[in-house]
Amino acid sequence: MKNILIIEDDESIRKMIASVLEVEGYSVSAAANGKQALETLRCNRLPDIILLDMMMPVMNGWDFLDFVRGNATTARIPIIVVSAYSEIAKSVHPHAVVPKPVQLKSLLQAIEGLAA
Amino acid sequence: VEDRKSLIKILCVDDQPSNLLALQAALQGFDYEIVEALSGEVALSKVVEDDFAVILLDVQMPVLDGFQTAMKIREIKRAQHTPIIFLTANYPSETYAIKGYEAGAVDYLFKPLNVDILRAKVGVFVNLFRAKEDIREKARLLREFEAREREREISELRQISERKYQDLVEGIHDGIVWVFNPNSQQFSYISRRVEEVTGYPVERWTLGDGFWLNRSHPDDRARVQDILDQAVEADGRVALEHRFLKSSGDIVWFRTEVHRQRYAESGRFELHGLSVDITHLKNTEEALRKALRIRDEFLSIASHELKTPITPLQLQMQGFLRMIEKGRFQSVPVETLRSMLQISDSQVSRLSRLIDQLLDVSRMREGKLAINAEEVKLSELVHDVLRQVKHELDVAECAVVTHLDSTVIGMWDRLRIEQVVINLITNATRYAAGKPVKISVSHDADKAVLCVQDHGMGIDKKDQERIFERFERAVSVQNYGGLGLGLYISRQIVELHEGTIRVISEPGKGATFKVELPCLPGQDLPT
């Protein structure tokens, strides 16, 4: 079972994405900001894909990416940036971009494209 | 005129000194000055130098005879019309007479001369000369008089127009009129109005020690110098908006227009300028720009806030549709379905709260927010609110400490005061997550006092008033949700109840929001 880490500060979005992905058969972990996500990476099995929101309190998406890409064990995890601002999303060179408001179809396509 | 009479000159031309003597004798006793010439040449030189009333000219002379002399006299401009009387011993034949008239003679006298006829004829021409001189003199006087009169009128007009100009210039309320000499870098004139506008007297301005530039706003100095240089070169008007430091230390904004004035006679030029005080305009412009910026920021926040709940709602619906399409609806655990529906339900509430806030603001702006007062026990109201916001407090990991005096009762709009308390507690969960929130209700004299104290980052003094304005918040939007309307709405509600709301805070030391409301007299209620 593929594991997906969702990093998103809005609780309702985070939970809803987790629910729909679980129904699709993924195993899901979640974090409300970059700092929580780094904790999750440290303590658990590494995810197969990371869904990342950029604008978050405590630790934003940019700082989180710096950590993940600077670390050999995490640098290769595919990143999908979920953002309302396509310019911002493209500027950090993720493996895929899902625009907000999130459409289930495009979310699943992005994940399936990377999980294959 | 008396003077002139004595100066009347008669030229007598004869090669015989005895004849000249005879003429002299004949014309003695009149106010004539007799000028003698012993030849045609001498006569011509005299005619060049002077005006004569009449010339008595002998016809028979050696070298230049009378006729030749007469013709040459006519070539001299001032003597063109001087009457010439020929003196001759011959009784003229007709051809001889015609020759004389062609040469310019007006008359003949025959030798030996008859003294009475000589005197009479000379007298006629002298009188004629005098009359002509008179007319000429009168014309001259008239011209002089007219010239003087015109000069007087011009100078009077100039004075009037200068006074008018001065009145006009000094009367301009917001404008300062000035004349500047670019060579000496000095004002040669500046209207009195400058004293009221800048607080510096006219004398200070005209000293010419670079006063204007020195007191200009540092960021504008180069531009002020620039425009003066430009005006010297340019043919038209040049304009600039710039700031000047008043004696009070305040800033005055000027719009200055300058043009070059060149004086044709001397080639000298000056700069003429008008500086209008546009401080008020600038401030309005600034306020307007700020209002527009705040509105734009608000619109961007509002659209983000309104869009955020759409994502989970849409995901839930698309998820359910997909489950049906894939035929997995039956196999999905009920708990998952319930959790998804609960999230969607909370998102619909979230949307409706945002919309309520927007509606409240527009109602408040129109003064249409109504208060439905009823007897409310403040401690009970706070308990109710804590039940409503329990989830937010749990998520933010904010423990709640309460000190609630149950005797505090007032005539308030229950739902509106609830809204205030919800706003204050929600703010605490947003800005002081993970830290305890203290809520107290008490009496202070005849007032009910509600305090919500958090242990967050605190609020800088300069922001403490601003946060109660519409669309304002003390920190950047990025990390905190909400429309930035909560405190604005809270203050409006509290003020409609004739109460007050304020914040007591220091950066790094948390914030206490204190609401004071008029209340009913304290009662000893059983606790």
Side-chain angles (χ1 to χ4, degrees):
Chain A
M1 210 194 314
K2 296 275 181 189
N3 184 277
I4 298 175
L5 171 59
I6 305 167
I7 312 171
E8 160 70 56
D9 63 323
D10 189 276
E11 188 198 2
S12 59
I13 296 178
R14 190 169 68 236
K15 281 188 171 167
M16 191 61 84
I17 290 178
S19 295
V20 294
L21 291 183
E22 275 167 2
V23 171
E24 289 298 318
Y26 294 101
S27 128
V28 178
S29 50
N33 57 58
K35 197 164 163 241
Q36 272 186 21
L38 288 181
E39 290 296 316
T40 310
L41 289 178
R42 216 167 282 141
C43 307
N44 301 290
R45 173 168 88 85
L46 287 183
D48 299 298
I49 292 169
I50 294 175
L51 285 184
L52 178 65
D53 179 29
M54 294 304 289
M55 310 228 267
M56 297 177 294
V58 188
M59 181 191 279
N60 62 37
W62 288 270
D63 293 344
F64 172 77
L65 278 176
D66 285 347
F67 272 103
V68 169
R69 287 175 172 166
N71 184 320
T73 57
T74 53
R76 301 178 60 169
I77 305 172
I79 306 278
I80 299 174
V81 166
V82 182
S83 174
Y85 308 95
S86 62
E87 295 306 313
I88 289 177
K90 280 176 198 147
S91 71
V92 296
H93 308 294
H95 296 80
V97 173
V98 173
K100 271 184 182 173
V102 179
Q103 304 295 313
L104 182 57
K105 208 172 160 193
S106 53
L107 177 68
L108 293 177
Q109 266 172 6
I111 291 171
E112 280 156 17
L114 291 172
Chain B
V1 178
E2 279 307 306
D3 250 358
R4 294 238 145 214
K5 219 180 217 172
S6 66
L7 283 175
I8 284 185
K9 288 172 181 171
I10 295 166
L11 180 62
C12 299
V13 190
D14 204 309
D15 58 327
Q16 300 293 321
S18 58
N19 283 349
L20 288 174
L21 201 66
L23 285 171
Q24 185 88 262
L27 297 171
Q28 195 120 45
F30 299 92
D31 290 330
Y32 310 147
E33 184 188 336
I34 307 295
V35 177
E36 296 176 346
L38 278 165
S39 69
E41 290 90 337
V42 175
L44 286 172
S45 74
K46 299 285 183 194
V47 165
V48 169
E49 285 167 12
D50 255 321
D51 289 325
F52 296 96
V54 60
I55 298 168
L56 303 174
L57 182 56
D58 183 28
V59 176
Q60 280 89 29
M61 289 189 296
V63 194
L64 274 181
D65 69 12
F67 295 136
Q68 289 167 321
T69 305
M71 282 194 282
K72 290 216 181 283
I73 285 173
R74 284 290 175 255
E75 287 167 17
I76 294 166
K77 195 161 192 277
R78 73 193 301 174
Q80 248 171 359
H81 303 293
T82 308
I84 296 171
I85 300 174
F86 282 122
L87 308 176
T88 180
N90 304 325
Y91 189 82
S93 66
E94 209 162 82
T95 48
Y96 185 88
I98 286 167
K99 194 178 174 192
Y101 288 123
E102 276 173 357
V106 294
D107 211 346
Y108 281 91
L109 279 173
F110 304 103
K111 294 175 182 176
L113 293 168
N114 177 317
V115 172
D116 290 332
I117 292 174
L118 173 70
R119 283 180 184 158
K121 286 199 172 171
V122 167
V124 167
F125 288 115
V126 165
N127 283 339
L128 200 63
F129 182 77
R130 269 197 192 125
K132 235 157 72 184
E133 283 288 278
D134 245 21
I135 289 168
R136 203 178 297 157
E137 176 65 12
K138 276 179 183 143
R140 193 182 60 81
L141 288 174
L142 193 64
R143 269 200 308 278
E144 270 180 24
F145 175 76
E146 278 176 355
R148 268 202 308 277
E149 199 52 16
R150 201 163 46 237
E151 235 164 65
R152 200 181 55 75
E153 269 172 27
I154 288 171
S155 108
E156 205 168 80
L157 277 175
R158 189 177 294 141
Q159 275 177 14
I160 289 171
S161 86
E162 267 172 18
R163 203 164 38 241
K164 265 189 194 162
Y165 179 71
Q166 191 103 347
D167 288 351
L168 194 68
V169 156
E170 299 293 348
I172 297 173
H173 187 68
D174 289 328
I176 296 158
V177 176
W178 48 263
V179 179
F180 188 77
N181 182 335
N183 292 322
S184 61
Q185 291 281 305
Q186 194 168 2
F187 287 98
S188 55
Y189 171 80
I190 191 159
S191 55
R192 284 270 157 217
R193 181 77 196 143
V194 76
E195 301 186 348
E196 273 168 78
V197 177
T198 68
Y200 289 109
V202 165
E203 294 69 30
R204 185 72 198 77
W205 281 88
T206 49
L207 269 185
D209 52 353
F211 180 66
W212 187 10
L213 285 182
N214 286 338
R215 296 297 199 284
S216 282
H217 189 284
D219 294 348
D220 293 348
R221 269 176 214 165
R223 294 193 305 132
V224 170
Q225 183 64 62
D226 251 20
I227 200 180
L228 292 174
D229 296 345
Q230 266 180 46
V232 170
E233 301 296 329
D235 281 325
R237 228 162 251 278
V238 283
L240 176 70
E241 288 181 2
H242 58 101
R243 287 157 290 180
F244 183 84
L245 307 173
K246 302 210 280 193
S247 68
S248 64
D250 294 333
I251 279 175
V252 53
W253 268 99
F254 283 122
R255 179 184 158 78
T256 292
E257 279 192 21
V258 196
H259 74 276
R260 185 190 56 196
Q261 181 73 46
R262 191 187 286 282
Y263 297 99
E265 317 93 66
S266 58
R268 197 169 60 87
F269 62 84
E270 303 174 320
L271 299 181
H272 287 194
L274 172 66
S275 296
V276 178
D277 179 357
I278 54 163
T279 312
H280 183 66
L281 205 68
K282 277 282 172 187
N283 290 343
T284 312
E285 199 180 293
E286 190 57 37
L288 198 67
R289 199 172 297 137
K290 190 182 165 213
L292 281 177
R293 184 178 53 74
I294 288 173
R295 195 203 59 181
D296 288 348
E297 266 173 24
F298 172 74
L299 286 177
S300 133
I301 293 167
S303 69
H304 179 258
E305 284 297 308
L306 290 169
K307 252 191 208 162
T308 302
I310 302 288
T311 286
L313 280 172
Q314 224 173 14
L315 274 178
Q316 184 238 292
M317 286 185 266
Q318 290 171 358
F320 276 24
L321 281 172
R322 193 173 154 89
M323 289 174 210
I324 292 165
E325 278 159 18
K326 299 266 172 185
R328 349 179 152 113
F329 206 88
Q330 309 300 331
S331 58
V332 176
V334 174
E335 261 324 297
T336 305
L337 296 178
R338 189 206 305 279
S339 149
M340 287 171 81
L341 285 170
Q342 272 171 349
I343 293 167
S344 293
D345 185 46
S346 74
Q347 293 316 295
V348 173
S349 308
R350 183 171 165 186
L351 272 175
S352 99
R353 270 202 308 278
L354 290 169
I355 291 164
D356 281 346
Q357 278 197 329
L358 289 173
L359 288 175
D360 278 351
V361 169
S362 73
R363 265 189 225 121
M364 282 166 186
R365 246 181 38 176
E366 290 165 18
K368 282 185 185 160
L369 194 75
I371 294 296
N372 301 312
E374 59 179 307
E375 199 172 293
V376 177
K377 200 171 181 184
L378 195 51
S379 59
E380 274 175 13
L381 184 147
V382 170
H383 279 303
D384 280 350
V385 167
L386 285 174
R387 270 191 293 276
Q388 289 178 48
V389 298
K390 185 177 184 310
H391 181 70
E392 277 103 319
L393 284 164
D394 288 349
V395 168
E397 294 172 0
C398 288
V400 175
V401 182
T402 54
H403 272 281
L404 308 178
D405 179 341
S406 59
T407 64
V408 180
I409 297 172
M411 293 297 292
W412 305 311
D413 185 321
R414 179 185 297 274
L415 290 176
R416 290 296 176 187
I417 297 299
E418 267 186 29
Q419 202 179 342
V420 173
V421 181
I422 290 172
N423 279 335
L424 295 181
I425 295 175
T426 311
N427 275 351
T429 63
R430 263 193 204 131
Y431 296 103
K435 289 163 186 152
V437 178
K438 189 176 158 191
I439 302 167
S440 68
V441 168
S442 61
H443 273 293
D444 181 7
D446 55 346
K447 288 194 184 83
V449 181
L450 168 85
C451 286
V452 176
Q453 184 183 4
D454 68 44
H455 294 85
M457 68 186 89
I459 299 159
D460 206 310
K461 265 264 175 304
K462 68 175 167 53
D463 294 321
Q464 289 183 7
E465 255 315 295
R466 193 167 62 83
I467 54 172
F468 292 100
E469 303 284 315
R470 220 161 10 124
F471 312 145
E472 292 280 5
R473 61 181 81 205
V475 291
S476 75
V477 177
Q478 195 179 314
N479 297 335
Y480 302 92
L483 292 173
L485 292 173
L487 287 176
Y488 169 76
I489 291 171
S490 298
R491 169 170 274 186
Q492 302 300 313
I493 291 171
V494 169
E495 286 178 354
L496 275 172
H497 284 84
E498 290 169 353
T500 59
I501 180 169
R502 64 200 169 93
V503 64
I504 303 146
S505 180
E506 265 179 64
K509 295 196 174 166
T512 302
F513 285 87
K514 187 174 184 182
V515 178
E516 291 184 329
L517 294 168
C519 64
L520 296 173
Q523 296 163 38
D524 288 324
L525 296 170
T527 47

